[in-house]
Amino acid sequence: MSLIAVTEVRKRFGSNEVLKGIDLDVEPGEVVAVIGKSGSGKSTLLRCINGLETIDGGSIVVAGAQLLDDELHLKALRLKVGMIFQQFNLFPHLSAGRNVMLSQRVVKKADKAAAEAMARQQLERVGLGHKFDAYPDELSGGQQQRVAIARALAMEPIALLCDEITSALDPELVAEVLAVVRELAAEGMTLMMVTHEMAFAREVASRVVFMHEGRVHEIGPPAELFAAPRTPELRRFLGTTPS
């Protein structure tokens, strides 16, 4: 059974229909890279799957549970599906470790010792075990993003949604964040990522989804999609995107 099943999903902002009937299934352990021009609906799709945006039509089912538009269901969903954003959204007044502990304490009601043990374990996992007590302004952008990944992992999600998590970083810091994602993929974590990193999508993704004007325009294994795009839109997109 699909871990995430998106069926005929529509989303409007005012008169602008951003998602025009999206169908997409994500299997457990799959790495799905979502590519496309700005404004094609990629980030909105992720935000709908995570329950940050409500949908205007269709259905989203995560791990067998339908995403219903009430606070209780949305909270349960966000526990299952972690989300990492372009901006790291760390609390500047809390250390890296405390940032990772916070949502466990607040949302999962974990006790302090358990939350700290989990935080140390996940910071270790992203290569930042030694930065538990460092504050965000003492960390590079790449390190802050890795703390944000550790924070999402500490909630033990069944899937992780990554929304252009390298696009706010200096080029030399991109690799360290992608290395963490590559590691998670190798461990079998289900990942859905909106990304501009074509070389990374080609190497790590099980499938690539090309979105165009609010629709899934092409979908398939990276080797197929990048080597032989079937539509002029994808050919144009790949022609203008540095690989």
Side-chain angles (χ1 to χ4, degrees), residues 73-242:
H73 281 90
L74 291 179
K75 192 174 164 189
L77 176 77
R78 289 192 203 116
L79 276 175
K80 282 189 195 155
V81 181
M83 181 116 175
I84 306 163
F85 302 89
Q86 191 172 342
Q87 302 302 341
F88 328 122
N89 303 338
L90 299 179
F91 289 107
H93 62 290
L94 296 178
S95 69
R98 302 267 168 230
N99 264 289
V100 178
M101 287 170 67
L102 187 65
S103 49
Q104 300 176 65
R105 302 271 293 159
V106 173
V107 182
K108 280 195 156 177
K109 306 285 186 269
D111 68 46
K112 188 165 178 252
E116 182 175 331
M118 176 62 89
R120 289 188 184 279
Q121 182 189 337
Q122 300 305 340
L123 283 170
E124 199 64 55
R125 194 172 172 188
V126 299
L128 291 175
H130 59 301
K131 294 290 187 185
F132 188 90
D133 293 317
Y135 283 84
D137 65 1
E138 301 172 298
L139 301 172
S140 72
Q143 289 173 327
Q144 289 185 59
Q145 190 57 292
R146 282 150 62 198
V147 172
I149 294 173
R151 176 179 58 190
L153 291 172
M155 301 300 282
E156 301 180 279
I158 55 171
L160 215 46
L161 309 177
C162 305
D163 190 11
E164 299 192 16
I165 60 172
T166 57
S167 56
L169 300 177
D170 295 332
E172 70 273 16
L173 301 176
V174 169
E176 67 184 62
V177 171
L178 291 182
V180 171
V181 177
R182 192 179 282 116
E183 191 65 34
L184 295 174
E187 289 169 16
M189 170 69 84
T190 306
L191 294 162
M192 192 168 171
M193 6 186 358
V194 170
T195 184
H196 290 295
E197 303 288 334
M198 294 301 134
F200 181 77
R202 189 176 287 151
E203 177 202 345
V204 178
S206 356
R207 279 188 304 158
V208 175
V209 174
F210 171 57
M211 285 184 66
H212 181 67
E213 294 182 350
R215 292 190 167 89
V216 171
H217 202 68
E218 286 197 42
I219 185 166
E224 220 168 85
L225 224 69
F226 290 122
R230 292 190 301 275
T231 61
E233 290 80 6
L234 180 54
R235 279 197 290 277
R236 262 202 305 277
F237 176 75
L238 293 175
T240 56
T241 309

